[in-house]
Structures are given as C-alpha cells and as structure tokens.
Amino acid sequence: METFAFYFLSISIALLFGVTVMSKNILYAMTSLAAGMVLISGLFFILGTDFLGVVQLIVYVGAVMALYSFGMMFFDATGNIDEKHKDSRVVFILGGLSAVVMVVIFAAPLMAEHAHSFYPPVEGATNPQAVGLVLFTKYLVPFEVAAIMLLVAMIAGIILAGKRMDESLSKIEDSELAESSAKDDK
Amino acid sequence: MENLVYTALFAPLIGSLFAALFGMSPKKQFVGVVTSILLFVSFVSSAKLWAYVSEHGPVHVRLMDWIVAGDMYVPFGFNVDQVTAVMMTVVTIVSTVVHIYSNGYMEHDKGFNRFFSYLSAFVFSMMVLVMSDNFLGLFIGWEGVGVCSWLLIGFWYHKEDVTRDVNPSISPSWAANEAFIMNRIADLGMLVGIFLIYWNFGTLQYDAVFERVPEMGHGLLVAIGIFLFIGAMGKSAQFPLHTWLADAMEGPTPVSALIHAATMVTAGVYLVIRANPIYSEIPEVSYFIAVLGTFVAIFAASMALVNRDLKRIIAYSTLSQLGYMFAAAGLGAYWVALFHLAAHAFFKALLFLGAGNVMHAMHDELDIFKMGDLRKIMKWTYLYMGLASLALAGIWPLAGFFSKDTILEVAFNEHAYGIWFILWLTAGLTAFYSFRLVFVAFWSGNRYEKFGMHPHEVQPYVLWGMLPLGILAVIFGWYHESFMHFVTKLLPAYEMSEHTHHMTGTLITVTTLIALGGILVAFRLYSHKLKRNEKIENSMPYRVLSNQYYIPIFYERVFSKPYAELSDIAWKEIDMQVVDATVDGIASIVEETGDSARGMQTGNLSDYLKWMAFGLVALAIMAVIVAMKS
Amino acid sequence: MIGLGHYLVLSAILFSIGLVGVIRRKNLLMLFFSTEIMLNAANVAFAAISSYHNDLAGQMFAFFIVAVAASEVAVGLGLLILLYKKRGTLDLDKLTLLKG
C-alpha cells in the first residue's frame, strides 16, 4: 500500500514539477506547482510527519501559491511567454550531474553505522505533540526569531508594494478622497 | 709615514673631486691652481717617501679590508718599496709639470674645469696602480687609468668623425673608443692571469705570491706570465695592440704628455718589473717579451720616419722606446728597464709639451711641413725640444745615453746579438727621425707665412714650468749608479760579464756613432731649404709606412666590421625576435586569457545562475572524490 | 519496501528539476517557481531522514525552511513588483544592463 502510494505520488510530483519548469504558460506553471505541493504534503503524511504535512498545505499551498497568484494578476502574464534558450543541453547535463552527485552525498553518511538521533520522539506521543514538545523547548529561540522574520517580511512586502503610504486613509475627509480618486481615474 | 702614503695617494683624488664640482661651469682659474698645488703636495710626499725608503726600507700600510669572502681576503693595502717610490716620484713630478702647463694650454677651452678633474683622477688611478700591494688593487688602478685615458683622449668628443685619409684617427671619440676597447681586450688576458694566480696561489698579495713562485709548476708559471703580459701588451701598446697609441694623439697635448709618454703606457712595463719573480722563472717567455719589444722598437721607428704629423712622430717614438724597455725587462735587466722608464718619462714629456707650445703658436696646426724656422721666434721651446731630442737620441751626457746604452750592453751581454743589432739600428733611426722633426719645424726655411700664421712664444710661466723636466732630462743619467744601488735592493741585480766589461768602450762608441750619424743625415736633408721629392713620396715603401703598414684598415676589415655585423644579427635576430617575442608572448597570453574570461561577465542573471550551478556541481564532485580517498 | 534511499533519490531528482528550471527560465516569476521546487525537495529529504531515523531535528529544520520560504516569497514578490514598475518587463535578457 505504502509502496503504491509512494510511487504514484513521486511520479506525479516529478511530472508536475517538470511541467512547472518547462511550460511556456505562467498559469499552467503555477497550477502545476500548486498541485505538486499538495502531493508533497501527501508524501509527508505517508512518512508519518503529520504536522509538517499540514503546515505544508496551509503555508505553501494556501499562502505562498496565493501570493504567486496575486502576483500573476499584477504582472498581467496570462498569455504565452516566449523565451530564448541558447544551450539547453548544457543545462540538462548540469541538472543530471547535480542529481547524481546529490544522491551520492546524501547516501554516504547514511551508509555509516554511527548515526544517532539528537531528538528522538517521546514514547506514546502523536507526531504533533512530539513536534510541539521539541519546538517549544529546544527550538524556542529559532521559533521566536522566525516569528520576527515573518513580521519583517510582512512589513517589507507592504512597503514595497504599497501606494501612497504617507497618507492615512482614515484621516482624510470624504470630499478629498473623492477628488483624489477622480484624479487617479484620469 | 703612513700619513705620507695617504697624502701622496689621495691628494690627486681630492683635487679631482674638487674640480668635478665645477665640471659644468665655465672656466674658473682657481680650479687649475688648486689641482696643481695638490699635485705638488703629492710630489713632495712621494719624494719624502723615496728618501725614507732608501734609508729604512719599504713602508707597508693597510687602509681597510676590501673583500672578505670565504677563503678570499683582499685588503686595500699599499706597499711603498723602492720600485714604487721611483714610479710615484716620476708620475707625480711629470703630473705636476703637466698640470701647471695645462693652466696655460687649456686657457681658452670651455671644458677647463672638467679637464683638470679628469687629469687628477688619472693621476690618482696611476698612484693606486703603482702603490697597491696586491694584484687586484693593481687591476683597479689599471682599469682606472684606462677609463681616465678614455675620458681624456675623447675630451673634444664633439668633433665629428671624418674618413681615414682626412684624419687617420677619424675623430677624438673614435680614438678614445679604440684605446679603451683595445685595452679591454688586453685586460681580459690580464684577468685570466690574475684568476690563475688566485686559483693556484690562494692569495693575491705580492709578497705571498712571490714567495711561493719557486714551488709552482713551470707550465702554470708560463701561462700566468703570458696572460699577464697580454695585459701589459694592451696598456703599453705592443704589437698587435699598438694602433691606439698613435690615434690617442687626438686628445689635448698635455694628455699626451702625461699619459702617453710618462705614465699609463709605462704601466705595462711596471707590471713586468713588479712580477719579475715570475718572469725570472720562465726565461722563454721573457725572451719572447724581449724579442717582441725589439720588433716594436724598429716597427715604430720605421713608421716615424715618414710621418708628417708633429705629435704622431713623437707618439711613434714613445712606442719605440717602450719596445726598448720591454727588451730590457725581457732580458732580465729589470732595473735597467725601470731606469729607462724614468729617464724616458722626463724627456718624452718635455718633447710633448714643447710640441704643445708649437701647436699653440701655429693655431693647432700639426703638419711639420707647414712650419719652419721657428727657432727664430720660439727660442726656449726650440731649446727644450732640442735638448729632449738629444736625450732621446742617446747623446752623452744626457739622460737617454745612460739608459739606452745600458740596454744595448745588456743585449750584448746576453749574447742576443740579433736583438743588439736591431736595437742599435733603431737607435740610429730614432736619432734620425727626432732630428728630422726638429730641423723641419725649427730650421729649413719659413713655410708658414703663406698660410697666414703669426706664431709667438708661450707665456713665461709655462716655460718656467717645463724647466724641472728639462733639468731632469739632462742630469738624471748622472745618478745611474745610485739609482741602481737603490732599486736593486728589491730587484735582482744584473751583473755584466767580464767579456762585456772589456767591450763597453767599443759598444758605447759604436752606438754614439750611429746616433750622431742619424743626426747628421737629418741635418743634411732637412736643415736647409726643404725640397719635397715627389717620386719618393709616391713610392711603395713610403706609402706603406705612412699608412702604418695598412694595419688599422686591416683591423677594421677583419675584426671591426664582422663584429659589427655579428652584433647586428644578435640584435635583430636574437634579441628582437627571441627575447622580445617571448616577453610579448607571455604578455599576450595573459591578455587573451583575460579577454576570453570576460565572457563570463554578461550581466545576464541566467548566465550567472548557470555558472553558479556549474561551480556547485564541480565542488560537490570534488568533495565526493576527496571524501572517497580518505 | 520503500527505504530511505528511495526518498533521497526522489529528493535529488526534484532538486535537479528545480535547478534546471532556475537555469533555464528567463522570466523572473518562473524563476521563483523553480526556487520553490528546490526548497520543497530539500523539505522532502529532511522529512524522510527524520522519519527513518526517528529524529525530530529533521522536521524542525523543515518547519523553518517553510517559514523562510514564505517570507522570501513575500519580499521577493514586492521587489519584483518594483522592478516591473521601473522597467516594464520581467524578461532577464531584456533586463541586462551590461554590454560586454
């Protein structure tokens, strides 16, 4: 059962990501990316890391892909995009080589006999509970730092993309607001 | 005593440096005065040292260590022994007279200060040469006089090159180069000799070397003797390195008087005299030196017979007398060679200075056939030059008689009758051409008027300056006994055999007769109105002699031109095409590498990402390989 | 049976797909998609190792990667918007300023 699920999921993910990389249409690329991410989350569930799977769904598929969709709207890129590709062969060779090398690098330490785990899960806890236990004790500082980082990113995103940030909409009189919006329309 | 040595040695140097300060300025009279005074100081110190050495023996000082490298130890040491004392005194007295003379001669020259600087530097180098106590110091002085003579011969370097028929010496700078290069060629031989000495004796100090000479192998001594003599050949202009001496007359006359009469050319003789322990052990080389000297004596005399240039005649006579000195040294009579060296210095310098007076009066005209009857106007110069010529001819009781006759006696004593005969013949020729010069220039009817010249005698102080030389030319010979006693404390004494003692009277008579004969022939031919004989002048022997046996042209065709071609090839083919091309090649490789690496910087993000991925993969592969090895 | 190796091979394949996309893509937005793929591949690897070795550290790492990726997208898109406003295009070749 697990075998079938793994192969189905992995082949689908690989194909979908292939579409993302090769397609000329942004919409197709984005859609296949989102689908791939959903299927990756399925992989996580198979592995037994439930919490991570849910986080993947919520954050990646929900938030990140939504962001990309809004971005796509903004850039007006619904049509086909022409791209000039010069040496495709070099690129694919590089990719293949990197895959092989990566496998070798990953495999090596795992062949070793002396791997031991730093944070083994507590007996009898479900995955979310175990994750919570470790996250809020051993990884507390990184957690807080990550929170601040997200805050900063949010502020940065707003400032980078916002218009007329020095005015406060709630404090302007209604009449002025109407005038300025009329000006904008022109 | 050490102070005397240092004073004698460094006074000329101080004079030279002082004059050098004004080298670029216009003439300043005090420069000439100061340098002359310093030279006189050096002369006084040298004379005092002579007196001291004759009483107490040699003075040895060591200024400082010079080369201390491994086993090699060469100090700046100076050894004033009898031979050195003689050389020092001769050099300084002639130099002082020449300095005083130059104040008058170079009066109107723009390079007045520079001249005195060079002159004093020359004297300093010569003093280093004769006072040094090791071969390397000798070599330093040797090179120094070579350089200074180059500077002085080429003093009027701005004169243009002309062809050989206009001026056989082509130009002062050409003559200077010729002198220097010929000396350099000879110096190579001398250096090889010095290397051989160091290699086998382990030291360069005279006393250490000469002590161990008897232990060394004969072949080695022959080699050393030959190579050192090659150096002497260059400096003293023996055949075949003789052409530079006549051409050196392009320099100012005081230079000829100092360098090419009295000092530099005698350095070669000094070397042979100084190295006499070596040459005593190798009689075959010494004999060769004597034969070569004899050959040069008659060779030079033959060229002087037909020459028309005032200074060149005197130059050839110098060459001839150098041959005499080498003949004496080669036959083992070293003190006789030294005696002739000193006597010759005095009367030859006097002759040159007199010639300078004549040139000055005749506005630098050198052709004696354009002069005549000058005795009526330039009485004192006539007297000096006549006296010097008599001394040169070897007439009793002047200095040349004692020295030249002794040399002939030595030749007779050694049973070298061939040498005796040729030297005897040369004595006659010497008398002839010296008096040919005197009679044509000072007698024989006025020829200069049609060239519009108005000669006059030089200033009195110049004539007074020449007086010491005149006196010495007369009286020096009378001291030959005490000279011999003085010098043979160091040099081997030379005893004449009994047979020669009986023959002495005959020999002297015969020699004097041929000298007087030469003078008489010259008198008959030249003292009255001059008749130029066209037939003789165009005949082959005359032309061969007046072109110096065509040797300079031979040297130019056989040595100079091919060497110039070789240098040209070395420049164009080797230097430009190989060396330059290599350097340029390396530079262009660097440039092209940079040029092609420029393609990495396109500004295109995609390309950069590609390079990044490439680097990543490469590093990862390297990491895997390294990890697999260990 | 599915071992750790399978997951690692899958992760490597996904990573290289992402790498190819990063190099190939000329539109900046598509480039970002490829970057996301690479991050996800890393996540798969971490999760797999964590699961097979019973070590929670891997999952921790994966969480933080997710958080970082999210903030990166936010800031990146903001910058892309500014770039688009300034230059009018998102094509890499047209954005190149260097001439050499």
Side-chain angles (χ1 to χ4, degrees):
Chain A
M1 185 57 196
E2 192 190 335
T3 323
F4 167 72
F6 171 76
Y7 277 116
F8 171 70
L9 280 175
S10 54
I11 291 175
S12 315
I13 292 172
L15 283 172
L16 282 168
F17 281 165
V19 168
T20 309
V21 163
M22 306 293 271
S23 163
K24 287 204 174 27
N25 191 330
I26 288 196
L27 189 58
Y28 291 169
M30 209 179 308
T31 318
S32 54
L33 186 66
M37 285 184 181
V38 170
L39 292 180
I40 284 188
S41 122
L43 258 184
F44 288 153
F45 281 121
I46 293 179
L47 279 171
T49 60
D50 315 330
F51 191 67
L52 188 58
V54 172
V55 162
Q56 167 92 355
L57 273 174
I58 298 177
V59 173
Y60 255 118
V61 181
V64 170
M65 290 321 297
L67 258 181
Y68 274 128
S69 312
F70 289 136
M72 190 190 93
M73 274 187 339
F74 185 84
F75 296 129
D76 188 31
T78 45
N80 276 355
I81 299 176
D82 280 320
E83 287 174 346
K84 281 186 289 199
H85 297 291
K86 273 194 295 185
D87 12 310
S88 315
R89 250 185 307 153
V90 171
V91 171
F92 289 124
I93 290 175
L94 265 181
L97 256 181
S98 71
V100 168
V101 168
M102 214 83 55
V103 169
V104 171
I105 292 181
F106 285 153
L110 297 174
M111 306 298 194
E113 306 283 312
H114 306 294
H116 74 286
S117 66
F118 284 100
Y119 300 107
V122 178
E123 290 300 314
T126 57
N127 183 269
Q129 286 171 333
V131 164
L133 267 171
V134 176
L135 185 62
F136 293 117
T137 52
K138 304 278 196 253
Y139 281 89
L140 185 60
V141 174
F143 180 75
E144 300 298 336
V145 171
I148 295 179
M149 179 186 69
L150 284 165
L151 177 67
V152 168
M154 183 171 71
I155 299 174
I158 295 173
I159 292 180
L160 282 173
K163 294 198 257 198
R164 281 194 316 168
M165 302 290 294
D166 39 352
E167 287 176 12
S168 165
L169 273 173
S170 49
K171 289 205 181 126
I172 301 178
E173 295 296 317
D174 286 332
S175 51
E176 285 182 20
L177 194 56
E179 278 177 28
S180 55
S181 62
K183 245 195 281 175
D184 278 341
D185 285 339
K186 289 202 198 90
Chain B
M1 268 319 115
E2 295 188 345
N3 289 336
L4 276 181
V5 174
Y6 293 137
T7 318
L9 182 64
F10 287 111
L13 179 67
I14 295 173
S16 169
L17 291 173
F18 176 75
L21 290 172
F22 303 98
M24 308 293 261
S25 325
K27 170 192 157 165
K28 294 211 171 9
Q29 186 60 56
F30 65 81
V31 170
V33 171
V34 166
T35 44
S36 307
I37 289 177
L38 281 169
L39 245 300
F40 184 70
V41 164
S42 182
F43 163 64
V44 168
S45 315
S46 307
K48 279 176 129 171
L49 272 171
W50 182 326
Y52 182 84
V53 167
S54 66
E55 271 190 40
H56 300 277
V59 177
H60 198 122
V61 303
R62 195 179 66 100
L63 182 55
M64 59 187 224
D65 289 338
W66 177 24
I67 299 178
V68 182
D71 282 337
M72 185 157 172
Y73 174 70
V74 179
F76 269 137
F78 302 106
N79 182 26
V80 181
D81 57 18
Q82 289 85 351
V83 171
T84 305
V86 169
M87 293 291 301
M88 278 167 70
T89 318
V90 167
V91 168
T92 44
I93 195 171
V94 175
S95 309
T96 313
V97 171
V98 166
H99 270 75
I100 297 174
Y101 179 88
S102 303
N103 276 295
Y105 190 82
M106 303 293 286
E107 205 173 23
H108 300 295
D109 196 297
K110 274 197 291 237
F112 186 85
N113 308 329
R114 191 165 52 103
F115 185 76
F116 279 97
S117 174
Y118 291 162
L119 212 57
S120 294
F122 175 87
V123 177
F124 171 68
S125 306
M126 192 69 197
M127 294 297 263
V128 169
L129 199 160
V130 300
M131 284 167 75
S132 224
D133 72 344
N134 59 69
F135 279 97
L136 209 52
L138 175 89
F139 190 69
I140 297 292
W142 197 270
E143 292 298 313
V145 297
V147 169
C148 292
S149 84
W150 177 80
L151 286 168
L152 284 164
I153 296 173
F155 190 70
W156 292 315
Y157 54 84
H158 42 264
K159 284 196 190 160
E160 294 287 316
D161 281 5
V162 293
T163 52
R164 247 182 231 283
D165 32 300
V166 174
N167 178 358
S169 314
I170 298 180
S171 81
S173 50
W174 191 93
N177 285 340
E178 184 192 24
F180 192 69
I181 292 173
M182 269 193 177
N183 269 284
R184 271 327 228 150
I185 296 173
D187 287 347
L188 179 63
M190 181 150 148
L191 262 182
V192 172
I194 294 181
F195 291 158
L196 280 174
I197 291 179
Y198 180 72
W199 192 255
N200 291 290
F201 289 79
T203 171
L204 287 170
Q205 304 288 109
Y206 289 149
D207 40 11
V209 170
F210 296 147
E211 253 178 48
R212 298 173 44 192
V213 162
E215 313 166 356
M216 292 290 161
H218 188 81
L220 172 69
L221 287 176
V222 166
I224 293 178
I226 290 179
F227 279 115
L228 286 180
F229 181 65
I230 291 178
M233 268 165 71
K235 221 23 131 217
S236 298
Q238 300 296 293
F239 182 87
L241 297 170
H242 65 280
T243 48
W244 69 269
L245 189 56
D247 290 337
M249 297 302 122
E250 289 292 313
T253 311
V255 171
S256 310
L258 181 59
I259 296 183
H260 308 118
T263 42
M264 180 167 116
V265 293
T266 57
V269 184
Y270 170 76
L271 176 64
V272 174
I273 293 176
R274 177 58 76 188
N276 68 76
I278 298 180
Y279 287 105
S280 307
E281 297 282 327
I282 43 174
E284 57 272 22
V285 176
S286 299
Y287 190 72
F288 170 74
I289 294 176
V291 169
L292 186 65
T294 315
F295 170 71
V296 169
I298 195 162
F299 175 71
S302 65
M303 290 195 284
L305 286 177
V306 300
N307 211 300
R308 295 166 52 163
D309 184 321
L310 178 65
K311 282 169 67 173
R312 284 182 96 98
I313 298 176
I314 308 178
Y316 287 130
S317 83
T318 305
L319 197 51
S320 186
Q321 298 305 307
L322 283 172
Y324 270 89
M325 291 180 222
F326 275 113
L331 292 172
Y334 299 103
W335 78 265
V336 179
L338 191 61
F339 187 65
H340 191 57
L341 194 158
H344 169 263
F346 299 136
F347 54 71
K348 192 46 64 65
L350 190 62
L351 209 52
F352 265 114
L353 294 182
N357 288 346
V358 170
M359 274 176 68
H360 221 73
M362 303 291 289
H363 290 288
D364 294 338
E365 179 56 60
L366 281 170
D367 190 344
I368 53 174
F369 289 114
K370 291 203 177 111
M371 311 170 188
D373 266 352
L374 284 174
R375 75 181 186 285
K376 297 186 181 139
I377 304 164
M378 307 178 67
K379 281 210 178 51
W380 279 96
T381 307
Y382 169 61
L383 194 63
Y384 279 138
M385 284 190 76
L387 208 60
S389 298
L390 280 175
L392 179 57
I395 305 294
W396 185 91
L398 300 173
F401 167 77
F402 292 96
S403 55
K404 233 196 231 189
D405 267 33
T406 321
I407 297 180
L408 285 168
E409 263 187 60
V410 165
F412 193 81
N413 191 41
E414 292 286 318
H415 304 287
Y417 297 117
I419 293 183
W420 180 88
F421 178 72
I422 295 182
L423 287 180
W424 177 77
L425 203 59
T426 312
L429 291 177
T430 308
F432 171 72
Y433 65 69
S434 316
F435 277 91
R436 168 176 175 267
L437 176 83
V438 171
F439 290 137
V440 170
F442 292 100
W443 291 59
S444 82
N446 189 323
R447 281 183 301 281
Y448 56 82
E449 264 181 19
K450 49 178 195 277
F451 296 100
M453 306 213 215
H454 303 287
H456 55 86
E457 183 64 279
V458 291
Q459 292 112 318
Y461 76 87
V462 174
L463 293 171
W464 280 106
M466 287 162 74
L467 188 62
L469 288 182
I471 295 177
L472 277 168
V474 174
I475 67 168
F476 186 67
W478 303 343
Y479 295 95
H480 76 280
E481 281 280 333
S482 45
F483 184 89
M484 183 183 82
H485 285 303
F486 175 63
V487 172
T488 49
K489 291 203 187 107
L490 182 73
L491 295 176
Y494 189 85
E495 290 293 328
M496 306 285 179
S497 68
E498 277 303 314
H499 177 224
T500 320
H501 272 300
H502 292 313
M503 295 285 293
T504 309
T506 327
L507 288 171
I508 293 179
T509 321
V510 168
T511 317
T512 314
L513 274 176
I514 195 170
L516 285 172
I519 298 177
L520 266 164
V521 172
F523 185 77
R524 287 300 311 276
L525 283 178
Y526 296 109
S527 59
H528 304 301
K529 213 104 181 99
L530 197 61
K531 278 186 314 230
R532 303 278 293 272
N533 193 330
E534 293 294 319
K535 210 158 58 105
I536 295 186
E537 281 186 18
N538 283 331
S539 68
M540 233 269 286
Y542 193 95
R543 273 189 299 130
V544 166
L545 288 179
S546 64
N547 279 313
Q548 304 172 63
Y549 293 91
Y550 296 107
I551 289 182
I553 301 179
F554 172 74
Y555 282 167
E556 186 172 321
R557 289 234 183 98
V558 173
F559 296 117
S560 308
K561 279 214 169 64
Y563 191 75
E565 302 268 318
L566 208 64
S567 302
D568 228 11
I569 292 176
W571 169 50
K572 289 210 180 89
E573 309 300 323
I574 299 178
D575 189 41
M576 280 176 73
Q577 293 193 8
V578 173
V579 176
D580 277 358
T582 314
V583 174
D584 287 347
I586 294 177
S588 69
I589 287 177
V590 173
E591 193 187 352
E592 271 157 40
T593 315
D595 229 6
S596 29
R598 194 166 53 122
M600 265 169 71
Q601 308 262 332
T602 52
N604 189 326
L605 184 61
S606 199
D607 287 342
Y608 291 164
L609 286 168
K610 210 187 317 186
W611 282 111
M612 199 166 79
F614 175 72
L616 169 74
V617 170
L619 279 175
I621 293 179
M622 274 206 303
V624 167
I625 292 176
V626 167
M628 293 239 250
K629 277 213 179 118
S630 57
Chain C
M1 281 309 298
I2 304 296
L4 179 56
H6 296 77
Y7 279 99
L8 288 181
V9 167
L10 171 67
S11 162
I13 291 175
L14 293 180
F15 187 84
S16 38
I17 292 177
L19 190 63
V20 163
V22 161
I23 299 175
R24 239 177 132 256
R25 281 301 191 189
K26 295 286 188 271
N27 189 313
L28 276 174
L29 194 58
M30 309 278 229
L31 206 82
F32 273 32
F33 292 166
S34 315
T35 316
E36 294 302 317
I37 300 176
M38 286 163 82
L39 286 166
N40 273 292
N43 268 352
V44 166
F46 275 119
I49 296 175
S50 160
S51 166
Y52 273 92
H53 281 264
N54 281 322
D55 188 353
L56 279 170
Q59 293 178 46
M60 294 297 121
F61 229 102
F63 287 134
F64 289 116
I65 289 183
V66 172
V68 165
S71 48
E72 173 236 329
V73 165
V75 174
L77 276 181
L79 288 172
L80 268 188
I81 291 173
L82 279 181
L83 190 65
Y84 186 74
K85 273 199 222 170
K86 196 165 172 113
R87 311 284 246 109
T89 173
L90 277 183
D91 190 321
L92 266 186
D93 291 335
K94 296 204 183 72
L95 284 172
T96 308
L97 284 175
L98 270 185
K99 306 234 191 296

